[in-house]
């Protein structure tokens, strides 16, 4: 068993290489897409100053849901040296009625991490105006977590209130939505990638030409031998 | 060496190997390539000493990492960028300077990745030819050429992880080939040049020196190698070069594993290993390439290695694989464990983020670390893998050294 035949290894190595490259480039993205539980509406806007959250101090951020099945809100939190090990709570409101709550413990929030507060999907959320509060009732001022503002708000965010007082700029947040169907997500990923590839016409044609020439050489070489 | 190209089988393997590499090049992305391409782009702007420049201007730059490679990497990749500027297009600099998540939307990303990775193809194919030059029998030449060109590990490590180490590796391999033909002085100079790209070839220098005929020759070879290395550093010499490249966190990570003896003294395990292998080299009973493999196998057994580092030992692993039948199975299993372990690291860029240029959504996919965590402690699993690597490395080293004795 120890003395493996070299010819066999060479043969299998060739088969594995071809299979692996084809699998990684063409099939793996589809398989990985099954792990995407929710998709963002937009990119995170640039971060600016921060606002501390602790006992007696909370924020309320208004925002628009741009798609149906709103299921998470993401924001970057400052937690140097994991100083905060208590809960931070996000309450989601439509008008004044509480419709969802999501709690995350500070000890799983590395400093500056983009933290996602996840809740059950809200079916017909598109074009509705919501707000959420962020509070940390068990946290004293010295162990406060901080949330980031943005100077470049997108079309998702509305007004922000800190302890009931309106601020000039909002928080940097990302809203996430559950994909309408798994198939549409996979199709969207592949078509998005293809569109980007063919958008650079010069490169895509040269690249495809290189591939064709190499394939041609391969076939020609095979016939000759 | 290039006469091998006349062989039809070799030619077919070469074309197929290049085809597979071309398929991977534009689509898989590791953030390292953007960071070092951003840094090397300053050569085109007239910046010679990148180390001092980055230190002085870090606060105003979108990517604030140090340049962790040696000066020749900066010059080579910088010149490549200058030469390919017309092909990279106008949007390239905007993409380099965009540190936001939106940079993945740039229509030119596939073009950039393809062009930036293209020089690796030359050195990569070069390694296959140099490896075949180590062997005399045409069947073995074909086998090693095929095992390098059609090897899933080399393809993924070089082109998915944008591994610049392939350049110093090619030069180091040329050096070892020269040493095999008793041209130790030229070999030492080449190893010095290779270290001017990245410091790992310096680990091979003592083996080379100790394999020479006497102490005087050994000292001469050692000084030639180290001297050449320092010559490549002199024009860039500064405090920032030393801190970011020569003794960077990445370089010193190799010497992190210690056994504490108390009173502030500890045994540095990798240094013990290096000394042992260097002592073996004095006996001159063993092939240089086998000792190189033993050095890297044993080092990786006791350090938290980066996946890109595996390539340092691959050519030597293949040479031993072809020549020592008894070590083949252990080497095969070892390569699987060595390659698989880094995918378990708690690092998004090691797995799912490789696809982030196709879509940003892939950064939202759970990484293997967190998937395993749901069923079993990932750190425990990594420890099992690392322990298996130790056992396999010790066993393989013993097999190789025993066989050659």
């Amino acid at each position: 068993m120890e003395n493996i035949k070299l010819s066999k290894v060479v043969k299998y190595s060739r088969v594995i290489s071809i299979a692996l490259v084809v699998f990684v480039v063409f099939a793996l993205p589809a398989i990985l897409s099954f792990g995407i539980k929710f998709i963002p509406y937009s990119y995170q806007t640039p971060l600016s100053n921060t606002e501390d959250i602790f006992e007696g101090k909370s924020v309320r951020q208004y925002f628009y849901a741009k798609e149906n099945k709103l299921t998470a809100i993401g924001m970057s939190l400052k937690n140097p040296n994991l100083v905060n090990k208590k809960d931070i709570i996000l309450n989601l409101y439509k008008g004044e009625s509480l419709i969802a709550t999501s709690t995350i413990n500070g000890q799983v929030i590395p400093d500056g991490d983009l933290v996602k507060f996840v809740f059950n999907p809200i079916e017909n959320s598109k074009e509705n105006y919501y707000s959420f509060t962020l509070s940390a009732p068990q946290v004293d001022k010295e162990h406060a977590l901080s949330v980031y503002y943005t100077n470049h708000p997108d079309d998702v965010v509305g007004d922000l209130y800190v302890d009931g007082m309106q601020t000039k700029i909002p928080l940097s947040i990302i809203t996430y939505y559950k994909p309408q169907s798994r198939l549409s997500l996979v199709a969207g990923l592949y078509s998005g990638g293809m569109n980007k590839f063919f958008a650079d016409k010069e490169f895509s044609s040269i690249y495809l030409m290189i591939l064709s020439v190499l394939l041609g050489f391969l076939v020609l070489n095979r016939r000759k031998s | 060496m290039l006469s091998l190209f006349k062989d039809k089988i070799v030619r077919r393997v070469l074309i197929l190997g290049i085809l597979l590499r071309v398929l991977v090049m534009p689509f898989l992305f590791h953030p390292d390539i953007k960071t070092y391409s951003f840094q090397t782009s300053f050569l085109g702007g007239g910046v010679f000493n990148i180390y001092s420049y980055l230190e002085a201007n870090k606060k105003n730059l979108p990517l604030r990492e140090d340049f962790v490679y040696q000066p020749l990497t900066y010059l080579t990749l910088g010149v490549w960028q200058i030469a390919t500027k017309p092909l990279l297009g106008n949007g390239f600099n905007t993409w380099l300077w965009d540190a936001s998540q939106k940079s993945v939307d740039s229509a030119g990303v596939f073009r950039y990745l393809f062009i930036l990775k293209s020089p690796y193809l030359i050195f990569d194919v070069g390694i296959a030819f140099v490896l075949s030059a180590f062997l005399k029998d045409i069947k073995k030449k074909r086998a090693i050429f095929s095992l390098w060109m059609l090897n899933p590990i080399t393809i993924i490590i070089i082109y998915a992880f944008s591994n610049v180490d392939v350049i110093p590796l090619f030069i180091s391999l040329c050096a070892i080939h020269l040493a095999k033909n008793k041209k130790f002085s030229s070999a030492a100079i080449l190893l010095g040049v290779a270290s001017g790209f990245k410091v790992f070839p310096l680990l091979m220098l003592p083996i080379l020196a100790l394999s020479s005929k006497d102490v005087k020759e050994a000292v001469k070879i050692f000084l030639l190698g180290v001297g050449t290395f320092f010559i490549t550093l002199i024009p860039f010499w500064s405090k920032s070069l030393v801190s970011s490249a020569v003794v960077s966190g990445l370089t010193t990570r190799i010497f992190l594993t210690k056994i504490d003896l108390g009173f502030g003294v500890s045994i540095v395990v990798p240094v013990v290993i290096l000394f042992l292998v260097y002592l073996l080299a004095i006996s001159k009973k063993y092939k240089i390439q086998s000792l190189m493999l033993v050095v890297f196998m044993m080092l990786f057994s006791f350090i938290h290695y980066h996946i890109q580092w595996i390539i340092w030992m691959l050519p030597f692993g293949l040479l031993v694989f072809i020549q020592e039948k008894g070590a083949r199975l252990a080497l095969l299993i070892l390569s699987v464990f060595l390659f698989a372990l880094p995918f378990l690291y708690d690092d998004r860029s090691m797995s799912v983020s490789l696809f982030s240029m196709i879509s940003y959504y892939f950064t939202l996919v759970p990484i293997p670390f967190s998937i395993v965590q749901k069923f079993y402690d990932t750190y425990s699993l990594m420890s099992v893998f690392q322990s298996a690597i130790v056992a396999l490395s010790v066993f393989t080293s013993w097999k190789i050294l025993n066989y050659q004795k």
Side-chain angles (χ1 to χ4, degrees), chain B residues 314-326:
Chain B
L314 268 175
F316 306 113
L318 289 181
L319 280 170
V320 172
F321 187 85
I322 299 271
Q323 292 169 325
E324 321 290 356
K325 284 180 187 171

Side-chain angles (χ1 to χ4, degrees), chain A residues 79-108:
Chain A
N79 190 19
N81 302 319
L82 296 178
V83 65
N84 182 306
K85 291 185 170 55
K86 302 273 171 64
D87 287 346
I88 181 157
I89 303 160
L90 181 139
N91 284 324
L92 182 68
Y93 296 91
K94 188 174 182 190
E96 285 309 312
S97 20
L98 178 70
I99 52 173
T101 294
S102 176
T103 304
I104 296 179
N105 194 281
Q107 64 184 347
V108 294

Side-chain angles (χ1 to χ4, degrees), chain A residues 33 36-41 65-71 121-127 176-188, chain B residues 361:
Chain A
S33 69
I36 302 173
K37 298 274 185 289
F38 38 72
I39 51 178
Y41 169 71
K66 294 289 182 178
E67 299 289 344
N68 283 326
K69 296 188 178 178
L70 172 70
T71 190
I122 300 163
E123 283 300 324
N124 299 309
S125 55
K126 193 172 181 176
E127 302 305 338
Y176 294 91
Y177 304 86
K178 195 178 167 193
Q180 295 303 319
S181 78
R182 196 51 57 187
L183 205 65
S184 67
L185 176 68
V186 175
Chain B
Y361 293 173

Side-chain angles (χ1 to χ4, degrees), chain B residues 30-133:
Chain B
H30 187 271
D32 276 4
I33 194 168
K34 195 170 177 201
T35 309
Y36 65 65
S37 296
F38 172 71
Q39 293 162 332
T40 52
S41 72
F42 287 106
L43 187 70
V47 175
F48 184 70
N49 194 332
I50 186 67
Y51 307 97
S52 314
Y53 179 82
L54 287 180
E55 196 178 18
N57 298 285
K58 210 177 259 183
K59 281 182 186 167
N60 308 318
L61 298 175
L63 298 168
R64 294 170 187 175
E65 283 94 339
D66 288 330
F67 187 68
V68 293
Y69 304 96
Q70 311 305 308
L72 292 184
T73 302
Y74 175 66
L75 295 178
T76 308
L77 298 184
V79 167
W80 177 253
Q81 265 191 50
I82 295 168
T84 54
K85 204 177 174 185
L87 299 174
L88 286 162
N90 294 331
F92 178 62
N93 265 333
T94 316
W95 178 70
L96 281 183
W97 279 78
D98 186 358
S100 75
Q101 295 158 338
K102 279 184 188 170
S103 69
V104 301
D105 282 343
S106 166
V109 285
F110 299 129
R111 172 199 292 246
Y112 307 149
L113 292 179
F114 186 79
I115 295 172
L116 293 173
K117 291 178 190 176
S118 300
Y120 303 156
L121 198 57
I122 301 163
F123 296 98
D124 178 16
V125 171
I127 289 175
F129 279 101
V130 179
L131 275 176
S132 60

Side-chain angles (χ1 to χ4, degrees), chain B residues 156-202:
Chain B
I156 296 297
I157 291 181
I158 299 173
Y159 299 97
F161 291 95
S162 317
N163 199 347
V164 77
D165 296 16
V166 70
I167 303 174
L169 183 68
F170 168 74
I171 303 169
S172 304
L173 212 58
C174 291
I176 306 304
H177 188 254
L178 284 173
K180 192 178 161 261
N181 296 326
K182 306 289 176 205
K183 293 175 183 166
F184 285 103
S185 301
S186 316
I189 293 171
L190 271 190
L191 271 191
V193 172
S195 311
F197 284 87
K198 215 172 164 182
V199 285
F200 76 87
L202 277 187

